[in-house]
Amino acid sequence: MFPLPFLKANAPHLSPKRHLDPPKSLFPYGTLTLSHPCPPFSVLDYRLYSEEMESTVTYESDLNLRATELRLGLPGTEEREEKTLPAAVRITNKRPLTETSEESVSKGPNAQHVETEAAPPAKAKIVGWPPIRSYRKNSLKENEGAGIYVKVSMDGAPYLRKIDLKVYGGYAQLLKALENMFKLTIGEYSEKEGYKGSDYAPTYEDKDGDWMLVGDVPWDMFVTSCKRLRIMKGSEARGLGCGV
Amino acid sequence: MENPNAKAQRHRQLRSNNIDPIKQMRENHPSTNSEDDQRSSLLDLARAEITESSNSKTRTYGGFPDPGSGSGPSEPQAPFPDQVLENVLENVLHFLSSRRDRNAASLVCRSWYRAEALTRSELFIGNCYALSPTRATTRFTRIKSVTVKGKPRFADFDLMPPDWGAHFTPWASALAQAYPWLEKLHLKRMIVTDADLTLLADSFPDFRELVLVCCDGFGTPGLGAVAAKCRYRSHLYSSNKLLLLRVLELVESVVEAVGDEEVDWISCFPDSQTNMESLVFDCIECPINFEALDSLVARSPRLKKLRLNQFVSMAQLHRLLLRAPQLTHLGTGSFSANDPGGVGELVQDYTTAFEACRSLVCLSGFREIWADYLPTIYPVCANLTSLNLSYADVNAHQLKPVIRHCHKLQIFWVLDSICDEGLQAVAATCKDLRELRVFPVDAREGTEGPVSEVGFEAISQGCRKLESILYFCQRMTNAAVVAMSKNCPDLVVFRLCIIGRYRPDPVTQEPMDEGFGAIVMNCKKLTRLAVSGLLTDRAFEYIGRYGKLVRTLSVAFAGDTDMGLKYVLEGCPNLQKLEIRDSPFGDGALRSGLHHYYNMRFLWMSTCKLTRQACQEVAQALPNLVLEVINNSEENAGDDIEVLYMYRSLDGPRDDAPIFVNILH
């Protein structure tokens, strides 16, 4: 069994000794032994790939950063000072299996380096992945870069509209468009009082499932987090924005 | 040939003397076996196909004889000593409906082969390029129903150019000539033209069922032809023509509006009462003439299945429901209103209309769902066995009041917008669930997904009878997969797609090997498996060791070395369809499957580590295998190949391969 020569940064409960244990099997009869040993580089490769894939990497202040340093190399070589490793390589379809570490994806030895790379690197668009028929994809109209379509509903009106948020430059244009679409007046947004003076308040559901008042967050943040719009009417609308 | 009456008489005599007539016959004709060889070819229509199969190295694949033998010499007319046996066989074999049973029966001996060929009425062609249409129509002469499948599944995901092939036209002409009594046609992933459809409509007076799944190449003109021409004369002396067509189903087929050529196909149905039982057109991307549809539904008293496209609004659906409360399967169309106006009272009207549909068991559609309309389906929920919300962006809060009533639900397709919470609600109510499919709203990698191992595990806890699951998610743990393998031992289909490639178990950071290993080990009925996440060769070792019934395996971005593929090819005797992309399997692995490739429908390997040379070797070693090397990009990548699509064929390579397809031999 090949020992794992590094630890995961977001698993602080692991002691440095942990990496000597073989991967645990969830089978009652113990692990199957392979009929031939895995080449070591493949183990390193995919571990490091997976590290890069992690979109969030969390840290705790009492973490022993030294022990959780990501490095290549077998355990027991902590004395070796961190070498500068080659820059991270963008994931391509073909994984280098037999190449040595110079081709492998790697992280800088400095833990901070990992933290700043918490956002995943821009990935090349992979054809046909995930395996969803284009028929289905088109039906949902969730094309990256081809527009951000959100549904707009209005209380009391039994119809539903779809708009493309990318078309609008800012809140002013969006509100104008909504007013035209639903033949109503929404009024002016004010931070303290919401859409005072109007019977309608435009709200939206964000990625966390919370309903927010349109205008509360900067436009760019709104565009990326808005899942759907709802124009509230009446007292519910008037209640919003007042000291919320 | 003997007088059959005399023979029957002698039979009775023999039987009354307690002598087995069949055995007697054989004893009277001791040279039966050699006579067999010279027997008349009247009924021996496919004789050529079964010669020399015993001494061919391709014996392992049974019913696929060496095509090199060509057609046999013409036989002299000779009497049929075993005519009674043949008659008995035919009568018995009529009852065999399963094509696998029939295939086995046809291998017993020549007379069984002949009898089976005469009595088969449903023809299933899993790969349209595995044989020529003529070969099929020559062997089977009494076919009433034909199913043909074309492109491999990975073509759905743009992994090969759209004009690769799978044209229905040659089949259309062959079928039109050979089976004028044809009643049913099912096509999947084929290119079907309007001309093909017109030919069908013109050639088959008994035609009653057309199902096109994932097909393209046709439009409303072809549909109009089918609707207009599939009729028969109702009475000898009457000029009234009744529509014989019963089933017209277009499933996930691409039917787009093509400019001026659009035809109002719904209006092409004859004005009289129709026999229509099923009309499915939810994939048609152009508006339809609603008045014509309304009238069609009104004069189709047998209509049970109706799936509308998104150009039918809620109000229009309402009208149709009032017309056809006898429906059992309904695709609701857009499920939203087109114009402003109308108030909340309409919801009550719609609910009443649904209430009247007491036979409704299957609901789908909801293409542009207006969530406020969801309560209208509450009255039918208790009877539903199938619910497809996979085009409806509903959240958990909206789902719960619906799903709470669906105690009988067996099939549920949904978007991950319902989140883990929604899945927990499903698990709490739908104890009879057999099939679950969870599709992603946002298919991009690297985002936090709304469903995870939490919902997955809840389903495994609550839905113990689960047989089929397709689950897209951004994270999954081995523990959850292992739990499902133990909670749901009846699983036949297990397809897990962790959208982020190479993702390990987020809790343990280990590969997903153990989870999938548990699935193949504990789910003893498993026939279809799709794997994802971070996987090493170990996962494939498990599959090879335990996945003895696996017929279809889909692999993407997985494995370490050739050993992975070797485990599978050497360990899975029932493997028929193997599709692999972006995995590091190379020539050594390819060679390790030589003993098995004739038993498979196809092998797909794209962006792996295959070289042209190794493929050439395989092509030479197995002459009945067609190896298509497809280059997607402009430049030839040299010795490395991009896409290998490999399948067995009785009639050699196809003659309609486009330029970018290189067939090795």
Side-chain angles (χ1 to χ4, degrees), chain A residues 32 34 95 97 127 129 133, chain B residues 156 252 499 541-542 559-560:
Chain A
L32 294 173
L34 295 175
R95 282 201 295 148
L97 270 194
V127 175
W129 185 261
R133 293 202 182 113
Chain B
D156 289 350
E252 290 192 28
I499 298 177
E541 186 179 358
Y542 288 150
D560 297 319

Side-chain angles (χ1 to χ4, degrees), chain A residues 1 8 10 18 23-29 31-36 38-39 42 46-47 49-50 53-56 91-95 97 120 123 126-136 139-140 142 144 151 153-154 156-160 162 205 228, chain B residues 156-159 189 214 252 282-283 337 340-342 367-370 373 390-391 393 395 413 415 439-441 443-446 472 478 497-499 501-502 504 509-511 514 517-518 521 534 536 538 541-542 545 556-557 559-560 563 567 581-582 584 607:
Chain A
M1 275 311 178
K8 299 309 294 178
N10 58 352
R18 168 85 172 134
K24 250 202 192 113
S25 162
L26 297 167
F27 273 48
Y29 304 113
T31 56
L32 294 173
T33 51
L34 295 175
S35 51
H36 83 292
C38 274
S42 63
Y46 64 64
R47 286 308 169 109
Y49 283 158
S50 68
M53 288 297 173
E54 290 274 272
S55 53
T56 53
I91 306 289
T92 61
N93 284 356
K94 300 190 199 295
R95 282 201 295 148
L97 270 194
K123 293 175 174 44
I126 305 294
V127 175
W129 185 261
I132 298 172
R133 293 202 182 113
S134 46
Y135 168 76
R136 183 170 284 279
S139 302
L140 293 175
E142 283 278 355
E144 196 179 353
K151 291 184 194 149
S153 59
M154 185 170 93
Y159 65 97
L160 192 73
K162 262 192 192 155
E205 186 184 14
R228 75 181 90 207
Chain B
D156 289 350
F157 314 127
D158 303 324
L159 289 178
R189 289 199 192 94
C214 301
E252 290 192 28
D282 49 2
C283 57
R367 291 307 182 107
E368 312 245 327
I369 189 172
W370 171 246
Y373 285 155
S390 66
Y391 293 97
D393 196 344
N395 58 31
W413 292 22
L415 286 176
F439 295 94
V441 167
R444 293 170 292 183
E445 288 183 64
F472 285 86
N478 278 311
C497 181
I498 303 170
I499 298 177
R501 295 160 297 139
Y502 311 116
Q509 299 310 321
E510 283 165 16
E514 300 302 313
M521 189 162 115
L534 181 65
T536 72
R538 167 176 282 169
E541 186 179 358
Y542 288 150
R545 181 182 290 225
F557 305 100
D560 297 319
M563 283 310 299
Y567 287 133
R581 64 166 293 179
D582 295 274
T607 322

Side-chain angles (χ1 to χ4, degrees), chain B residues 218-232:
Chain B
F218 64 99
T220 49
L223 295 177
V226 170
K229 298 193 189 189
C230 290
R231 322 177 187 201
Y232 71 103

Side-chain angles (χ1 to χ4, degrees), chain A residues 195-213:
Chain A
Y195 292 88
K196 193 176 176 183
S198 163
D199 264 356
Y200 298 96
T203 65
Y204 71 97
E205 186 184 14
D206 70 3
K207 283 203 152 49
D208 300 323
D210 299 321
W211 285 94
M212 317 267 285
L213 192 66

Side-chain angles (χ1 to χ4, degrees), chain B residues 566-585:
Chain B
K566 276 190 194 173
Y567 287 133
V568 170
L569 288 171
E570 287 167 4
C572 300
N574 281 300
L575 195 63
Q576 287 179 14
K577 299 188 266 187
L578 180 55
E579 44 191 29
I580 304 174
R581 64 166 293 179
D582 295 274
S583 299
F585 306 133

Side-chain angles (χ1 to χ4, degrees), chain B residues 236-421:
Chain B
L236 193 59
Y237 301 109
S238 144
S239 58
N240 262 349
K241 280 196 177 174
L242 291 186
L243 185 72
L244 194 60
L245 193 66
R246 293 196 187 158
V247 172
L248 179 58
E249 294 183 3
L250 308 167
V251 180
E252 290 192 28
S253 293
V254 179
V255 183
E256 289 160 342
V258 189
D260 303 326
E261 288 177 24
E262 239 191 277
V263 164
D264 178 6
W265 60 280
I266 299 264
S267 300
C268 294
F269 284 95
D271 294 330
S272 55
Q273 214 177 51
T274 78
N275 282 326
M276 286 299 286
E277 295 172 8
S278 170
L279 180 62
V280 172
F281 62 94
D282 49 2
C283 57
I284 293 191
E285 298 276 323
C286 31
I288 48 135
N289 179 340
F290 179 73
E291 292 307 321
L293 176 64
D294 191 33
S295 156
L296 177 64
V297 170
R299 61 185 195 277
S300 303
R302 294 190 187 174
L303 196 65
K304 293 281 191 285
K305 281 195 197 183
L306 180 64
R307 296 205 172 120
L308 310 164
N309 70 359
Q310 71 217 49
F311 291 90
V312 177
S313 70
M314 192 70 187
Q316 290 171 330
L317 171 66
H318 178 230
R319 272 177 64 181
L320 294 174
L321 285 179
L322 294 175
R323 290 254 191 237
Q326 79 280 6
L327 288 176
T328 57
H329 296 63
L330 175 69
T332 64
S334 69
F335 215 67
S336 73
N338 279 339
D339 324 300
V343 272
E345 287 99 61
L346 282 179
V347 169
Q348 186 49 54
D349 287 345
Y350 300 157
T351 312
T352 312
F354 271 106
E355 236 166 15
C357 299
R358 299 193 181 286
S359 313
L360 212 53
V361 293
C362 174
L363 263 189
S364 59
F366 308 103
R367 291 307 182 107
E368 312 245 327
I369 189 172
W370 171 246
D372 285 3
Y373 285 155
L374 261 183
T376 61
I377 69 169
Y378 290 173
V380 297
C381 286
N383 282 333
L384 283 185
T385 55
S386 171
L387 177 60
N388 181 352
L389 289 175
S390 66
Y391 293 97
D393 196 344
V394 295
N395 58 31
H397 178 69
Q398 291 159 336
L399 176 73
K400 281 184 184 176
V402 172
I403 210 73
R404 195 196 339 219
H405 300 295
C406 300
H407 300 279
K408 289 192 190 168
L409 206 60
Q410 294 185 10
I411 300 173
F412 187 48
W413 292 22
V414 72
L415 286 176
D416 63 2
S417 53
I418 64 167
C419 303
D420 286 329
E421 195 188 334

